[in-house]
């Protein structure tokens, strides 16, 4: 089933391109941006055949909670440099709180985005130029709430699955599905390109879109038919698009230099460490039980955080087709002897 035509998609991209081309006033930063000229849609879910009446079902409740968490993490990254919800205070969280309106018994669900996105924009200005912040918010709103964007995301997901799975039966079923027009797909890819060009916050905004859509698609497997942002997805289609690839994860042990970005000690029995790979700029959040996080390694981690000095560690990395799926911190280690010698030779 192909979504609505590409007129709305083309118009949205043209509008974003005009914002991108808008010059910043000479001698200063564009600190404020008027969003009144933009159409602010909501994430809209309609269930023609709800299994439960007069209540939002747990799968869709979970999906909206994923969207909420992603908005919090984006706000934390934009204002503190860390995608850690713990960095936000109660007042900041309250400003970004989603409002989900449930009507028609339990068949019509609307997560209103206008207020939280406007408040997020205000928090981003100062950390980014007003123009950069506006571009991120406008692109995010378009990708997470527009019918044409969701159609294109479904087709993109289908393409990825076709490359991954081996079952002829699944391949035939996936090839029979079509959600987006050429114009919608081109518009979707262009907005993604624009967001990526806005630095770390823009890239993080793409994660908001991906995680939200994945959660909505997962929830759609619980209902015979689901309309997400006006695009109908059947339970069968949702299940096909979520078909596991069954590819085996490969684990490798590496020793490398990292930076300790943060250590969350809220729960002493479930400590969390955020490590930054200085070569790829990737951040890894690692959970460690207290009995594994003691002694010399504990001291070195906190010392590296306090002094902002590099630290050598041994990591267990699980990958699927070169994509990192999990990272475990095994221990801290000394800098390799040959690197120490090289460093001394340079001095």
């Amino acid at each position: 089933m192909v979504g609505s035509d590409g007129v709305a998609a083309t118009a949205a991209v043209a509008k974003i391109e005009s914002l991108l081309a808008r010059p910043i006033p000479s001698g200063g930063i564009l600190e404020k941006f008027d969003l009144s000229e933009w159409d602010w849609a909501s994430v809209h879910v309609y269930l023609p055949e709800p299994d439960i009446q007069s209540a939002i079902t747990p799968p869709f409740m979970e999906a909206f909670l994923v969207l909420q968490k992603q908005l919090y993490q984006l706000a934390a990254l934009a204002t503190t440099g860390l995608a850690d919800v713990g960095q936000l205070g109660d007042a900041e969280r309250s400003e970004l709180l989603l409002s989900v309106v449930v009507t028609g018994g339990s068949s019509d669900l609307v997560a209103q985005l206008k207020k939280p996105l406007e408040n997020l924009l205000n928090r981003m200005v100062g950390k980014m130029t007003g123009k950069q912040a506006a571009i991120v918010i406008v692109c995010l709103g378009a990708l997470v709430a527009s019918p044409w964007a969701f159609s294109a995301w479904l087709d993109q997901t289908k393409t990825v699955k076709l490359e991954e799975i081996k079952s002829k039966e699944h391949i035939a079923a996936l090839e029979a599905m079509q959600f987006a027009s050429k114009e919608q797909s081109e518009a979707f890819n262009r907005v993604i390109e624009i967001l990526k060009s806005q630095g770390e916050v823009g890239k993080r905004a793409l994660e908001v879109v991906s995680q939200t859509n994945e959660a909505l698609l997962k929830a759609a497997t619980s209902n015979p038919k689901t309309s997400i942002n006006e695009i109908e997805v059947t339970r069968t289609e949702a299940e096909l698009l979520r078909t596991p690839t069954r590819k085996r994860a490969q684990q490798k042990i590496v020793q490398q230099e990292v930076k300790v970005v943060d250590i969350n000690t809220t729960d002493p029995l479930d400590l969390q460490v955020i490590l930054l790979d200085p070569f790829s700029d990737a951040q890894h959040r690692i959970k460690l039980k207290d009995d594994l996080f003691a002694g010399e390694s504990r001291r070195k981690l906190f010392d590296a955080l306090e002094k902002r000095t590099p630290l050598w560690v041994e990591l267990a990395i699980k990958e699927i087709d070169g994509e990192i799926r999990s990272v475990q911190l095994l221990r801290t280690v000394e800098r390799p002897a040959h690197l120490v010698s090289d460093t001394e030779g340079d001095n």
Side-chain angles (χ1 to χ4, degrees):
M1 178 189 64
V2 180
S4 57
D5 62 44
V7 174
T10 303
V13 172
K15 208 169 183 181
I16 293 171
E17 294 277 14
S18 68
L19 171 59
L20 195 63
R22 188 177 300 184
I24 297 176
S26 59
I29 295 176
L30 179 63
E31 293 294 346
K32 293 184 178 181
F33 187 81
D34 183 11
L35 291 173
S36 61
E37 63 183 278
W38 298 82
D39 295 326
W40 290 98
S42 302
V43 175
H44 183 198
V45 174
Y46 175 67
L47 308 175
E49 305 171 35
D51 292 333
I52 300 176
Q53 297 292 335
S54 304
I56 181 172
T57 59
F60 287 99
M61 185 183 299
E62 180 183 346
F64 288 125
L65 287 174
V66 168
L67 172 56
Q68 182 69 79
K69 180 180 178 181
Q70 290 298 317
L71 288 177
Y72 282 158
Q73 290 182 338
L74 178 61
L77 178 65
T79 55
T80 70
L82 295 174
D84 181 1
V85 177
Q87 302 291 320
L88 300 178
D90 291 341
E92 293 169 307
R93 295 191 194 197
S94 179
E95 285 186 353
L96 301 171
L97 200 61
L98 284 173
S99 175
V100 180
V101 179
V102 183
T103 57
S106 62
S107 60
D108 218 345
L109 317 175
V110 179
Q112 299 172 339
L113 289 173
K114 184 176 186 296
K115 183 178 178 181
L117 287 184
E118 286 180 340
N119 288 332
L120 178 56
L121 172 66
N122 293 333
R123 292 209 163 271
M124 290 164 63
V125 172
K127 305 297 181 179
M128 309 169 70
T129 67
K131 179 177 173 179
Q132 284 178 315
I135 289 171
V136 169
I137 293 300
V138 168
C139 289
L140 174 59
L143 291 180
V144 84
S146 301
W148 60 265
F150 189 66
S151 294
W153 180 84
L154 289 172
D155 263 6
Q156 188 180 81
T157 302
K158 180 192 78 171
T159 301
V160 171
K161 286 296 177 183
L162 284 170
E163 293 175 352
E164 291 178 343
I165 66 176
K166 304 300 181 183
S167 165
K168 292 182 179 179
E169 180 183 351
H170 284 150
I171 290 174
L174 284 167
E175 287 179 338
M177 290 189 290
Q178 185 178 358
F179 295 95
S181 67
K182 178 183 177 182
E183 292 81 5
Q184 289 172 332
S185 295
E186 289 176 347
F188 184 75
N189 291 331
R190 176 54 183 151
V191 177
I192 287 177
E193 182 183 326
I194 292 172
L195 260 182
K196 285 181 177 179
S197 70
Q198 303 309 307
E200 193 63 29
V201 176
K203 293 175 183 177
R204 181 65 203 178
L206 290 174
E207 189 71 13
V208 177
V209 178
S210 175
Q211 293 294 325
T212 300
N213 287 345
E214 289 282 359
L216 289 169
L217 193 62
K218 178 183 177 182
T221 63
S222 67
N223 216 61
K225 291 182 181 179
T226 304
S227 174
I228 301 173
N229 291 336
E230 302 179 18
I231 306 303
E232 186 177 282
V233 181
T234 66
R235 175 181 284 154
T236 300
E237 289 171 333
E239 289 173 345
L240 277 168
L241 291 169
R242 300 189 72 249
T243 302
T245 60
R246 297 181 182 176
K247 292 188 176 181
R248 297 181 62 182
Q250 295 182 330
Q251 179 170 293
K252 61 181 180 180
I253 307 298
V254 301
Q255 291 187 351
Q256 69 172 85
E257 188 178 69
V258 298
K259 292 183 179 179
V260 183
V261 176
D262 188 35
I263 300 176
N264 187 337
T265 58
T266 303
D267 183 353
L269 298 179
D270 189 18
L271 302 174
Q272 297 185 31
V273 182
I274 299 179
L275 301 179
L276 172 69
D277 183 340
F279 302 102
S280 66
D281 285 333
Q283 288 189 7
H284 304 302
R285 180 185 295 274
I286 300 169
K287 293 184 178 180
L288 294 170
K289 299 298 181 184
D290 194 46
D291 57 350
L292 298 177
F293 187 64
E296 187 67 13
S297 289
R298 179 187 181 99
R299 185 191 65 78
K300 287 182 177 180
L301 284 161
F302 277 96
D303 193 50
L305 175 64
E306 180 181 356
K307 297 180 180 178
R308 301 295 179 185
T309 53
L311 180 68
W312 275 84
V313 296
E314 185 172 87
L315 302 174
I317 300 176
K318 284 187 177 180
E319 295 181 340
I320 296 180
D321 282 351
E323 180 181 345
I324 295 177
R325 296 300 177 91
S326 69
V327 178
Q328 180 183 0
L329 174 60
L330 300 179
R331 62 193 177 104
T332 58
V333 296
E334 296 298 328
R335 186 181 182 88
H338 70 281
L339 293 179
V340 172
S341 301
D342 290 345
T343 303
E344 290 175 350
D346 291 338
N347 293 333

Coordinates of all heavy atoms in Angstrom, one line a residue, residues 94-125:
S94 N 9.5 18.4 33.1 CA 8.0 18.8 33.0 C 7.8 19.6 31.7 O 6.7 19.4 31.1 CB 7.7 19.6 34.2 OG 6.4 20.1 34.2
E95 N 8.7 20.4 31.3 CA 8.6 21.2 30.1 C 8.5 20.4 28.8 O 7.9 20.8 27.8 CB 9.7 22.2 29.9 CG 9.6 23.4 30.9 CD 10.7 24.4 30.6 OE1 11.6 24.1 29.8 OE2 10.7 25.5 31.2
L96 N 9.1 19.2 28.9 CA 9.2 18.3 27.7 C 8.2 17.2 27.8 O 8.3 16.3 26.9 CB 10.6 17.8 27.6 CG 11.8 18.8 27.5 CD1 13.1 18.1 27.6 CD2 11.7 19.6 26.2
L97 N 7.3 17.2 28.7 CA 6.3 16.1 28.9 C 5.3 16.1 27.8 O 4.7 17.0 27.4 CB 5.6 16.3 30.2 CG 4.9 15.1 30.9 CD1 6.0 14.0 31.2 CD2 4.2 15.5 32.1
L98 N 5.2 14.8 27.2 CA 4.2 14.6 26.2 C 2.8 14.5 26.8 O 2.6 14.0 27.9 CB 4.5 13.3 25.5 CG 5.7 13.2 24.5 CD1 5.9 11.8 24.0 CD2 5.4 14.1 23.3
S99 N 1.9 15.0 26.0 CA 0.5 14.8 26.3 C -0.2 13.9 25.3 O -0.2 14.2 24.1 CB -0.3 16.2 26.3 OG -1.7 16.0 26.6
V100 N -0.6 12.7 25.8 CA -1.3 11.7 24.9 C -2.8 11.7 25.1 O -3.2 11.4 26.2 CB -0.7 10.3 25.1 CG1 -1.4 9.3 24.2 CG2 0.8 10.3 24.9
V101 N -3.5 12.1 24.1 CA -5.0 12.2 24.2 C -5.6 10.9 23.6 O -5.2 10.5 22.5 CB -5.5 13.4 23.4 CG1 -7.0 13.5 23.5 CG2 -4.9 14.7 24.0
V102 N -6.4 10.3 24.4 CA -7.0 9.0 24.0 C -8.5 9.3 23.8 O -9.2 9.7 24.8 CB -6.8 7.9 25.0 CG1 -7.4 6.6 24.5 CG2 -5.3 7.7 25.3
T103 N -9.1 9.0 22.6 CA -10.5 9.2 22.4 C -11.0 8.0 21.7 O -10.3 7.1 21.3 CB -10.7 10.5 21.5 OG1 -10.0 10.3 20.3 CG2 -10.3 11.7 22.2
G104 N -12.4 8.0 21.4 CA -13.0 6.8 20.7 C -12.8 5.6 21.5 O -12.5 4.5 20.9
G105 N -13.0 5.6 22.8 CA -12.7 4.4 23.6 C -11.3 4.2 23.8 O -10.7 4.8 24.7
S106 N -10.7 3.4 22.9 CA -9.2 3.3 22.9 C -8.6 3.3 21.5 O -7.6 2.8 21.3 CB -8.8 2.0 23.7 OG -9.3 0.9 23.0
S107 N -9.4 3.8 20.6 CA -9.0 3.6 19.2 C -8.2 4.8 18.6 O -7.5 4.6 17.6 CB -10.3 3.4 18.3 OG -11.2 4.5 18.4
D108 N -8.3 6.0 19.2 CA -7.6 7.2 18.6 C -6.6 7.7 19.7 O -7.0 8.2 20.7 CB -8.7 8.2 18.3 CG -8.4 9.0 17.0 OD1 -7.2 8.8 16.6 OD2 -9.2 9.6 16.5
L109 N -5.4 7.6 19.3 CA -4.3 8.0 20.3 C -3.5 9.1 19.6 O -3.0 9.0 18.5 CB -3.4 6.9 20.6 CG -4.1 5.5 20.9 CD1 -3.0 4.4 21.1 CD2 -5.0 5.6 22.1
V110 N -3.3 10.3 20.3 CA -2.6 11.4 19.7 C -1.6 11.9 20.7 O -2.0 12.4 21.8 CB -3.6 12.5 19.3 CG1 -2.7 13.7 18.8 CG2 -4.6 12.1 18.3
A111 N -0.3 11.8 20.4 CA 0.8 12.4 21.2 C 1.1 13.8 20.7 O 1.6 13.9 19.6 CB 2.0 11.5 21.2
Q112 N 0.8 14.8 21.5 CA 0.9 16.2 21.0 C 2.4 16.6 21.2 O 2.9 16.6 22.3 CB 0.0 17.1 21.8 CG -1.5 16.7 21.5 CD -2.5 17.5 22.4 OE1 -2.1 18.0 23.5 NE2 -3.7 17.5 22.0
L113 N 3.0 17.1 20.1 CA 4.4 17.4 20.1 C 4.7 18.9 20.1 O 5.8 19.3 20.4 CB 5.0 16.8 18.8 CG 5.2 15.3 18.7 CD1 5.7 14.9 17.3 CD2 6.2 14.8 19.8
K114 N 3.8 19.7 19.8 CA 4.0 21.2 19.6 C 4.7 21.8 20.9 O 5.8 22.4 20.8 CB 2.7 21.9 19.4 CG 2.9 23.4 19.1 CD 1.6 24.0 18.7 CE 1.8 25.5 18.2 NZ 2.3 26.4 19.3
K115 N 4.1 21.6 22.0 CA 4.7 22.2 23.2 C 6.0 21.7 23.6 O 7.0 22.5 23.8 CB 3.7 22.1 24.4 CG 4.2 22.8 25.7 CD 3.1 22.7 26.8 CE 3.6 23.3 28.1 NZ 2.7 23.2 29.2
P116 N 6.2 20.4 23.7 CA 7.6 19.9 24.1 C 8.7 20.2 23.1 O 9.8 20.6 23.5 CB 7.4 18.4 24.2 CG 6.1 18.0 23.5 CD 5.3 19.3 23.6
L117 N 8.3 20.3 21.8 CA 9.3 20.6 20.8 C 9.7 22.1 20.8 O 10.8 22.5 20.7 CB 8.9 20.3 19.4 CG 8.9 18.8 19.0 CD1 8.5 18.6 17.6 CD2 10.2 18.1 19.3
E118 N 8.7 23.0 21.1 CA 9.0 24.4 21.3 C 9.8 24.6 22.5 O 10.8 25.4 22.5 CB 7.7 25.2 21.4 CG 6.9 25.3 20.0 CD 5.6 26.1 20.2 OE1 5.1 26.2 21.3 OE2 5.2 26.6 19.1
N119 N 9.6 23.9 23.6 CA 10.4 24.1 24.8 C 11.8 23.5 24.6 O 12.7 24.1 25.1 CB 9.7 23.4 26.0 CG 8.4 24.1 26.5 OD1 8.3 25.3 26.3 ND2 7.5 23.4 27.0
L120 N 11.9 22.4 23.8 CA 13.2 21.9 23.5 C 14.0 22.9 22.7 O 15.2 23.1 22.9 CB 13.0 20.6 22.8 CG 14.3 19.9 22.3 CD1 15.2 19.6 23.5 CD2 14.0 18.6 21.6
L121 N 13.4 23.5 21.8 CA 14.0 24.6 20.9 C 14.6 25.7 21.8 O 15.8 26.1 21.7 CB 13.1 25.2 19.9 CG 13.6 26.4 19.1 CD1 14.7 26.0 18.2 CD2 12.5 27.0 18.3
N122 N 13.8 26.1 22.8 CA 14.3 27.2 23.7 C 15.5 26.8 24.5 O 16.4 27.6 24.8 CB 13.1 27.6 24.6 CG 12.0 28.3 23.8 OD1 12.2 28.9 22.8 ND2 10.8 28.2 24.4
R123 N 15.5 25.5 24.9 CA 16.6 25.0 25.7 C 17.9 24.8 24.8 O 19.0 24.9 25.4 CB 16.3 23.7 26.3 CG 15.2 23.8 27.4 CD 15.3 22.8 28.5 NE 14.6 23.2 29.7 CZ 15.1 24.0 30.7 NH1 16.3 24.4 30.6 NH2 14.3 24.3 31.7
M124 N 17.7 24.6 23.6 CA 18.9 24.3 22.7 C 19.6 25.6 22.3 O 20.8 25.6 22.1 CB 18.4 23.6 21.4 CG 18.0 22.1 21.7 SD 17.0 21.4 20.3 CE 18.3 21.5 19.0
V125 N 18.8 26.7 22.2 CA 19.4 28.0 21.8 C 20.4 28.4 22.9 O 20.1 28.5 24.0 CB 18.3 29.1 21.6 CG1 18.9 30.4 21.4 CG2 17.4 28.7 20.4

